[in-house]
């Protein structure tokens, strides 16, 4: 037994590369199709139904081995398998989020200026605003028409873009701090430029409204109730000559959602403990609301799988892996991280004892006992894991849904995949970490 804690690059074992690349294919297909929480939910629901999962109804009398799912308002989905033990004796939960930083339309978004139709937006989540100009964007989401009909906008239909000032005239702009280079109200999206000659004013806006009416049956008022969002319009790509990494929009946190889901789908025998995968919305804006992890929706789910049980006792007996991405060491930006406590690409899922910022503020800070429970579980299953913190002390920080689970009296540990360029329109992850993280969730949930 080694005296040292050491981690290894999973790619050192070249025999595993075909299996790693195979696992990554499924993930890349998912990432090509799913760029919003709603499309993720639809994808997970469809695949679960294909594998014999049934809707979790109120009053359902579930037996060991029964597979269930429940959708939360189209923006979240919980899936699970009933264990041999009663759920009241504890549930094994993997929780991840399926929302990602993006650009949402305002309720009254459309206007015209200088013969261009433009959308006003409000960004969602933590972004460097200047990164979101001059990249192709897709418009996705749902519009509910005056008669109640729900129309889904597929991202592939159109391309949009936020313009940027040419370098030739950027003397003043280049002297600004990065947070001011592109300001929130400048994130406006070009929506059209052909005038409608049948009207006297707002000719281009009128023409765009006509197109929207023809395509979706909507009018300007329908924007008020709609959920419409602009997401990067490019497919995931294999990165580098060896194609070992994946560049994609929204690894945070769909890489953890997918790996937890995939692990659940791979369970073939009835587990001892009931397994539950909780895929939620709104983490990037504080986990609030009916579809965030602070919502009591999870209590309703637990009541349905353990009718009549004490929820407090059930939570006390349960364990949770809060699955969210972490910052992998970037040789270009070593300063804000602390090398010895930073995860590496391709070294497996990263276990994190605490998140938070400025003196561990706002973290659940997992106990030695629950940390050890998971590291022993993973060691016994041959999982290659590592540890890491989100940055050096006082360099910044961040949180996950872990504290909302722990506040419910559930022993919770953070785990996740290390990324480069987190929250940028294109983030970077390792295929090897996708592969090993599926194995880690499987070891916990099976
Ligand atoms: Mn996240
Ligand atoms: Mn995030």
């Amino acid at each position: 037994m080694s005296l040292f804690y050491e981690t290894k690059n999973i790619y050192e074992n070249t025999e595993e590369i075909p299996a790693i690349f195979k696992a990554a294919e499924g993930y890349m297909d998912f990432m090509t199709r799913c760029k919003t929480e709603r499309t993720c939910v639809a994808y997970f629901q469809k695949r679960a139904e294909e594998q014999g999962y049934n809707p979790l109804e109120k009053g359902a009398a579930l037996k060991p081995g029964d597979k269930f799912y429940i959708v939360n308002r189209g923006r979240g989905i919980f899936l699970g398998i009933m264990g041999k033990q009663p759920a009241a004796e504890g549930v094994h939960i993997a929780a991840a989020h399926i929302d990602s930083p993006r650009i949402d339309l305002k309720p009254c978004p459309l206007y015209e200026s200088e013969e261009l139709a433009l959308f006003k937006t409000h960004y969602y989540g933590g972004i460097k605003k200047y990164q979101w100009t001059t990249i192709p964007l897709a418009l996705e989401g749902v519009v509910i028409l005056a008669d109640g009909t729900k129309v889904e906008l597929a991202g592939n239909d159109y391309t949009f873009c936020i313009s940027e000032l040419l370098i030739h005239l950027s003397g003043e702009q280049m002297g600004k701090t990065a947070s001011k280079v592109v300001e929130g109200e400048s994130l406006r999206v070009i929506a059209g430029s052909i005038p409608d000659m049948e009207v006297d004013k707002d000719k281009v806006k009128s023409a765009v409204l006509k197109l929207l009416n023809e395509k979706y049956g909507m009018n300007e008022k329908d924007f008020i109730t709609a959920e419409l969002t602009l997401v990067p319009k490019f497919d995931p790509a294999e990165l580098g000559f060896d194609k070992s990494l994946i560049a994609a929009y929204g690894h945070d946190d769909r890489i953890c959602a997918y790996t937890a889901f995939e692990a659940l789908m791979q369970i073939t025998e009835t587990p001892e403990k009931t397994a539950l995968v909780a895929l939620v919305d709104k983490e990037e804006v504080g986990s609030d609301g009916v579809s965030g992890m602070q919502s009591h929706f999870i209590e309703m789910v637990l009541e349905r799988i353990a009718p009549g049980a004490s929820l407090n006792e059930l939570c006390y007996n349960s364990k949770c892996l809060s699955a969210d991405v972490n910052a992998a060491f970037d040789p270009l930006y070593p300063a804000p991280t602390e090398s010895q406590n930073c995860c590496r690409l391709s070294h497996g899922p990263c276990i994190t004892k605490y998140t938070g910022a400025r003196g561990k503020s706002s973290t659940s800070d997992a106990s030695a006992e629950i940390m050890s429970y998971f590291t022993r579980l993973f060691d016994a299953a041959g999982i290659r894991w590592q540890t890491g913190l989100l940055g050096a002390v006082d360099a910044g920080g961040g949180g996950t849904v872990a504290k909302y689970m722990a506040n419910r009296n559930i022993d919770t540990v953070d785990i996740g995949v290390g990324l480069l360029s987190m929250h940028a329109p294109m983030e970077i992850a390792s295929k090897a970490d996708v592969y090993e993280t599926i194995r880690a969730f499987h070891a916990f949930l099976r």
Side-chain angles (χ1 to χ4, degrees):
M1 192 176 160
S2 172
L3 286 174
F4 292 88
Y5 157 67
E6 286 166 329
T7 66
K8 251 195 189 163
N9 187 324
I10 291 169
Y11 279 127
E12 284 180 23
N13 186 10
T14 52
E15 281 173 14
E16 276 181 290
I17 291 178
I20 290 169
F21 276 48
K22 186 90 192 78
E25 269 176 34
Y27 176 58
M28 289 180 66
D29 175 63
F30 161 71
M31 292 295 274
T32 305
R33 298 161 189 266
C34 304
K35 294 191 168 80
T36 64
E37 59 277 6
R38 285 182 183 269
T39 47
C40 287
V41 168
Y43 170 95
F44 291 133
Q45 179 179 348
K46 181 164 180 286
R47 280 201 51 202
E49 283 171 349
E50 286 165 4
Q51 292 217 27
Y53 282 68
N54 293 306
L56 175 64
E57 311 282 1
K58 191 182 177 198
L62 297 174
K63 303 179 303 297
D66 282 354
K67 299 171 175 177
F68 61 87
Y69 73 86
I70 179 167
V71 171
N72 184 3
R73 300 164 170 93
R75 306 201 292 197
I77 184 168
F78 288 49
L79 314 102
I81 306 178
M82 296 303 291
K84 290 177 190 161
Q85 295 177 14
E89 288 175 26
V91 176
H92 279 192
I93 306 168
H97 69 93
I98 48 178
D99 60 318
S100 298
R102 62 183 188 227
I103 314 280
D104 287 346
L105 293 197
K106 285 191 181 184
C108 294
L110 190 60
Y111 74 107
E112 175 172 342
S113 179
E114 297 296 328
E115 298 176 274
L116 287 177
L118 294 147
F119 281 135
K120 298 185 176 186
T121 69
H122 196 147
Y123 62 97
Y124 173 97
I127 61 167
K128 292 182 174 179
K129 293 182 269 288
Y130 60 80
Q131 292 178 332
W132 292 73
T133 63
T134 66
I135 60 168
L137 298 169
L139 186 64
E140 294 197 10
V142 297
V143 179
I144 298 179
L145 306 181
D147 66 358
T149 312
K150 189 189 283 187
V151 181
E152 287 184 28
L153 272 68
N156 290 331
D157 291 343
Y158 305 103
T159 304
F160 300 90
C161 191
I162 298 166
S163 65
E164 239 277 54
L165 189 59
L166 62 167
I167 183 66
H168 315 67
L169 302 180
S170 295
E172 189 193 335
Q173 187 198 35
M174 296 300 279
K176 294 181 179 177
T177 55
S179 63
K180 297 279 184 190
V181 165
V182 174
E183 302 209 47
E185 283 295 351
S186 301
L187 292 176
R188 296 196 174 169
V189 180
I190 297 171
S193 68
I194 298 178
D196 171 5
M197 297 315 289
E198 289 172 13
V199 296
D200 295 331
K201 65 173 185 84
D202 285 341
K203 291 179 165 46
V204 183
K205 175 177 171 177
S206 169
V208 166
L209 284 171
K210 271 187 183 169
L211 289 171
L212 284 167
N213 191 264
E214 282 165 21
K215 178 85 176 172
Y216 304 114
M218 67 180 289
N219 57 40
E220 190 176 17
K221 196 177 166 190
D222 296 326
F223 279 115
I224 296 170
T225 54
E227 255 177 65
L228 290 173
T229 187
L230 290 144
V231 290
K233 191 183 178 188
F234 35 68
D235 291 339
E238 296 171 305
L239 213 60
F241 288 115
D242 57 13
K243 304 185 177 182
S244 57
L245 307 176
I246 305 167
Y249 162 65
H251 285 310
D252 178 7
D253 185 31
R254 295 200 290 270
I255 199 165
C256 295
Y258 176 85
T259 48
F261 172 85
E262 198 60 41
L264 184 72
M265 293 299 116
Q266 289 177 10
I267 294 175
T268 49
E269 285 170 29
T270 303
E272 282 300 314
K273 295 280 187 185
T274 294
L276 183 66
V277 173
L279 304 177
V280 297
D281 177 32
K282 293 285 166 282
E283 194 277 341
E284 296 296 356
V285 292
S287 298
D288 291 301
V290 287
S291 52
M293 197 71 254
Q294 296 196 68
S295 164
H296 292 291
F297 185 80
I298 187 171
E299 277 79 16
M300 190 185 81
V301 172
L302 295 174
E303 281 174 1
R304 288 190 183 187
I305 62 178
S310 155
L311 280 191
N312 282 320
E313 298 286 342
L314 185 157
C315 287
Y316 184 58
N317 293 330
S318 296
K319 292 183 175 67
C320 175
L321 282 176
S322 165
D324 207 342
V325 295
N326 211 315
F329 192 83
D330 187 338
L332 273 57
Y333 299 98
T337 51
E338 188 267 289
S339 173
Q340 188 169 314
N341 286 282
C342 185
C343 66
R344 300 299 195 274
L345 290 179
S346 309
H347 284 234
C350 173
I351 300 171
T352 299
K353 189 173 186 299
Y354 56 88
T355 59
R358 300 175 308 282
K360 295 192 177 184
S361 182
S362 208
T363 177
S364 51
D365 205 353
S367 71
E369 289 83 357
I370 189 65
M371 285 291 289
S372 169
Y373 169 86
F374 280 111
T375 57
R376 282 180 287 128
L377 174 89
F378 292 148
D379 284 343
I383 306 300
R384 288 150 297 182
W385 57 271
Q386 55 181 327
T387 193
L389 298 171
L390 188 70
V393 177
D394 289 341
T400 65
V401 302
K403 63 177 177 179
Y404 305 117
M405 301 306 279
N407 290 350
R408 289 181 158 101
N409 198 28
I410 301 171
D411 271 314
T412 302
V413 167
D414 271 296
I415 190 171
V417 175
L419 301 184
L420 302 182
S421 315
M422 193 194 297
H423 282 210
M426 183 179 262
E427 304 173 315
I428 296 166
S430 167
K431 290 182 179 179
D433 293 331
V434 172
Y435 169 81
E436 199 67 358
T437 305
I438 294 171
R439 296 183 64 235
F441 286 128
H442 190 257
F444 172 52
L445 297 171
R446 73 179 169 219

